[in-house]
Amino acid sequence: MTESPPPDLVRHVAESTGLAPGIAARVVADVIAYFGETTEQYVRRRHAELRGRQYRNAQIWTALAAELAARPVAPPELTERQLRRIVYG
C-alpha cells in the first residue's frame, strides 16, 4: 500500500487496543489491503486455498457465497455458475 492509512482510524485503533501507533498503522493498512481485493481476486484466492485443503467444489461454492455475503461491503449475490466462471473463465 502506497498511501498512509487514515490517521484518525490509526489513532482509534491504537487507543482502543493499546497498540503502539506504528503497529496500529500496520494493522489498519493490512485490513484495508485485505478488504481491497476485488470480488474476482477474492474468489480465485479462496478457491485455491479451499482446494488446497481438499474441499470439493460443491463445498467451495457454498462457502464462498456465505463468505462474500458476510463481508462488510458485500458484492451482489453471485450464483454458483457466476462463481465458477470467475475461477474457470
Side-chain angles (χ1 to χ4, degrees), residues 40-74:
E40 290 79 10
Q41 291 168 327
Y42 180 84
V43 167
R44 288 185 189 108
R45 178 178 61 79
R46 285 295 290 149
H47 181 269
E49 289 172 0
L50 294 171
R51 288 294 290 176
R53 293 187 197 164
Q54 307 303 312
Y55 281 61
R56 297 177 155 270
N57 274 337
Q59 296 169 301
I60 293 173
W61 307 135
T62 301
L64 283 173
E67 290 175 9
L68 288 169
R71 289 178 72 84
V73 180

Side-chain angles (χ1 to χ4, degrees), residues 7 9-10 15-17 19 21 33 38 43 45 48 52 60 76 78-80:
L9 181 55
V10 171
E15 290 172 0
S16 67
T17 62
L19 293 173
T38 66
V43 167
R45 178 178 61 79
I60 293 173
L78 299 173
T79 65
E80 182 179 319

